[in-house]
């Protein structure tokens, strides 16, 4: 565990020093993956399905807020819909406006949630989202998760309906709109998943806020169980063709991701929990203090000092002699015991005296002087 904590501290130090470079690179990669996924899934407008345009757009997103990526992804998808049909673009634009109003009203700071939810749904690992959001965000973020799920199912509906839309003529514009709207609202799988994810987010948030020991672990396990139970009940009631094996595997992956999040965000030592009670003129206070698990990062310092002192010659100062002094000091911060060795000449008989002193800091000092000294005690 100590090695993991040291790795965590080193990663934090690296991030603090290189944040100005890491954040733009991560935003660039995220934008590149999202826009490429849209082009692969839709791809109706060939002009957008160009690597140069994707790279330019991703580069712009790397220096702009994450909300710009949400707007740019929505613009890409609407233009692909327009290349398929004008009616499809109108339906998509109206859906996006409704979701934007809900998102802007309840959770305007959850742009990453709106981006990651449809992306992970496309990658077939969507059950990581409600657990992670419940651990890191507020209950209002359930709206952002629901909007992300709705975006994924809207795009999936357009992909599945594209062959029928192409066969329908321009005179059947109302039929296209009615078909898309009715199919979207009647999608029971989408409604079940939105409800399941929203309830899971709230349950995880409430449990991880408790003052009991291991609240985050309890919250993630309870959230996974609630999510699986709601999905299975929805599958039994509405026959949404849910893959039980996929749900279980994705739930296990969600627990693994949640444990990583807990390690970096909420790593505490419950064995050193303290309970404090105090009062003022109006209240009594009962406080439970749980210390965080931290370790100092080991450092290695090596210092070498070499000094040469030349004295006056015997002709200028009778009775004096030339001497030199060399001091070498090496300090190594470590957890192991070390030794200290000092060698200096004695004043009588020209003999030298050596002494080795053990210490706990692995420090090695050497002294060598051609001068007269008193006896060491």
């Amino acid at each position: 565990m100590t090695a993991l904590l040291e790795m965590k501290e080193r990663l934090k130090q690296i991030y603090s020093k290189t944040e100005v470079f890491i954040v733009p690179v991560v935003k660039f990669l995220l934008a590149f993956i999202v826009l490429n996924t849209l082009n692969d899934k839709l791809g109706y407008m060939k002009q957008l399905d160009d690597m140069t345009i994707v790279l330019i757009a991703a580069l712009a997103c790397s220096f702009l807020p994450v909300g710009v990526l949400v707007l740019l992804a929505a613009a890409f998808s609407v233009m692909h819909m327009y290349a398929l049909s004008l009616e499809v673009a109108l339906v998509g634009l109206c859906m996006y406006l409704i979701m934007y109003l809900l998102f802007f009203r309840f959770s305007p700071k959850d742009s990453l949630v709106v981006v990651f939810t449809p992306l992970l749904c496309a990658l077939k690992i969507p059950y990581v989202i409600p657990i992670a959001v419940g651990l890191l965000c507020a209950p209002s973020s359930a709206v952002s998760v629901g909007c992300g799920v709705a975006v994924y199912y809207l795009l999936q509906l357009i992909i599945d309906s594209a062959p029928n839309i192409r066969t329908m003529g321009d005179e059947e514009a109302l039929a296209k709109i009615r078909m898309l709207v009715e199919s979207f609202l009647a999608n029971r799988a989408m409604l079940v998943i939105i409800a399941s994810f929203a309830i899971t987010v709230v349950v995880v948030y409430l449990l991880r806020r408790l003052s009991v020991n291991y609240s985050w672990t309890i919250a993630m396990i309870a959230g996974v169980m609630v999510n699986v139970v709601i999905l299975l009940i929805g599958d039994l009631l509405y026959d949404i063709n849910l893959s039980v094996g996929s749900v279980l595997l994705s739930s296990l992956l969600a627990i693994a991701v949640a444990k990583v999040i807990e390690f970096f965000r909420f790593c505490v030592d419950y064995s050193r929990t303290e309970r404090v009670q105090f009062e003022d003129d109006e209240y009594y206070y009962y406080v439970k203090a749980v210390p965080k698990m931290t370790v100092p990062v080991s450092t290695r310092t090596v210092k070498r000092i070499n000094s040469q002192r030349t004295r006056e010659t015997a002709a200028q100062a009778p009775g004096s002699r030339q001497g030199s002094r060399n001091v070498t000091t090496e300090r190594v911060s470590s957890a192991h015991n070390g030794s200290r060795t000092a060698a200096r000449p004695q004043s009588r008989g020209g003999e030298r005296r050596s002494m080795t002193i053990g210490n706990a800091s692995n420090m090695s000092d050497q002294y060598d002087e051609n001068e007269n000294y008193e006896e060491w005690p």
Side-chain angles (χ1 to χ4, degrees):
M1 189 64 181
T2 304
L4 292 177
L5 292 174
E6 283 192 6
M7 180 193 70
K8 172 186 172 182
E9 294 299 325
R10 292 184 184 279
L11 290 176
K12 289 171 64 176
Q13 291 179 0
I14 293 173
Y15 179 77
S16 63
K17 294 178 181 178
T18 60
E19 179 182 3
V20 67
F21 303 105
I22 292 177
V23 173
V25 170
V26 172
K27 291 166 68 174
F28 172 81
L29 293 176
L30 179 60
F32 182 78
I33 293 172
V34 170
L35 297 179
N36 259 336
T37 303
L38 281 174
N39 287 337
D40 292 338
K41 294 293 183 180
L42 298 175
Y44 302 122
M45 181 173 283
K46 300 302 181 182
Q47 292 83 352
L48 290 179
D49 196 5
D50 186 359
M51 188 60 63
T52 303
I53 295 177
V54 173
L55 289 175
I56 293 174
L59 186 62
C61 291
S62 64
F63 297 100
L64 296 174
V66 183
V68 176
L69 174 58
V70 177
L71 296 177
L72 196 58
F76 265 60
S77 60
V78 169
M79 285 188 282
H80 281 297
M81 295 175 194
Y82 176 77
L84 177 63
S85 174
L86 176 61
E87 294 78 14
V88 176
L90 290 175
V91 172
L93 183 60
C94 291
M95 295 294 182
Y96 284 158
L97 288 176
I98 295 173
M99 294 177 196
Y100 175 75
L101 293 176
L102 290 174
F103 165 74
F104 184 76
R105 173 64 180 83
F106 292 100
S107 52
K109 297 182 179 180
D110 293 336
S111 301
L112 282 177
V113 176
V114 179
V115 173
F116 272 109
T117 302
L119 181 62
L120 294 183
C121 288
L123 297 176
K124 306 301 180 184
I125 48 174
Y127 307 112
V128 176
I129 284 293
I131 307 299
V133 172
L135 292 176
L136 298 176
C137 303
S140 59
S141 300
V143 177
S144 302
V145 175
C147 291
V149 173
V151 168
Y152 169 74
Y153 277 97
L154 174 63
L155 297 180
Q156 193 64 39
L157 173 63
I158 292 172
I159 294 171
D160 296 337
S161 304
N164 294 331
I165 293 173
R166 285 198 178 102
T167 59
M168 300 172 69
D170 295 336
E171 66 278 359
E172 298 178 296
L174 292 178
K176 295 179 185 178
I177 296 174
R178 186 183 301 110
M179 179 187 67
L180 290 174
V181 174
E182 290 178 354
S183 299
F184 181 77
L185 296 178
N187 193 333
R188 294 180 176 179
M190 178 189 70
L191 298 178
V192 169
I193 291 179
I194 290 176
S196 175
F197 283 9
I199 295 174
T200 301
V201 169
V202 175
V203 169
V204 173
Y205 173 81
L206 294 177
L207 290 179
R208 65 103 169 168
R209 294 277 295 175
L210 296 178
S211 62
V212 299
N213 292 352
Y214 306 101
S215 58
W216 280 49
T217 302
I218 295 172
M220 64 183 71
I221 294 176
V224 167
M225 295 176 63
V226 168
N227 188 37
V228 171
V229 168
I230 295 176
L231 290 175
L232 292 178
I233 292 175
D235 188 28
L236 292 175
L237 293 178
Y238 301 108
D239 192 18
I240 59 177
N241 296 324
L242 193 66
S243 175
V244 178
S246 176
V247 171
L248 295 178
L249 289 177
S250 185
S251 299
L252 293 177
L253 178 61
I255 292 178
V257 173
K259 293 300 292 183
V260 174
I261 294 174
E262 180 188 15
F263 176 74
F264 283 98
R265 185 67 180 272
F266 191 77
C267 188
V268 295
D269 186 4
Y270 288 105
S271 63
R272 297 190 291 125
T273 301
E274 298 179 1
R275 297 183 181 275
V276 182
Q277 177 181 350
F278 55 94
E279 63 176 312
D280 59 12
D281 294 337
E282 298 180 356
Y283 295 96
Y284 284 96
Y285 301 91
Y286 300 89
V287 179
K288 178 181 178 181
V290 184
K292 295 181 179 180
M293 295 178 64
T294 57
V295 293
V297 179
S298 61
T299 58
R300 182 177 295 269
T301 303
V302 178
K303 180 186 289 186
R304 298 181 181 275
I305 303 174
N306 297 318
S307 62
Q308 184 72 27
R309 183 177 57 192
T310 304
R311 297 185 176 180
E312 295 179 356
T313 60
Q316 295 175 344
S320 65
R321 62 181 180 179
Q322 293 182 352
S324 62
R325 179 176 184 177
N326 296 325
V327 179
T328 302
T329 303
E330 296 186 2
R331 291 184 176 86
V332 179
S333 176
S334 174
H336 303 287
N337 291 333
S339 64
R340 175 176 177 176
T341 303
R344 53 169 55 177
Q346 268 188 325
S347 61
R348 290 187 289 272
E351 297 177 355
R352 302 178 65 88
R353 180 176 181 180
S354 304
M355 180 174 294
T356 301
I357 303 172
N359 56 31
S361 62
N362 199 14
M363 184 181 296
S364 175
D365 293 349
Q366 292 183 351
Y367 299 92
D368 187 4
E369 292 193 15
N370 297 322
E371 296 181 7
N372 295 328
Y373 293 89
E374 296 295 335
E375 284 290 344
W376 285 11

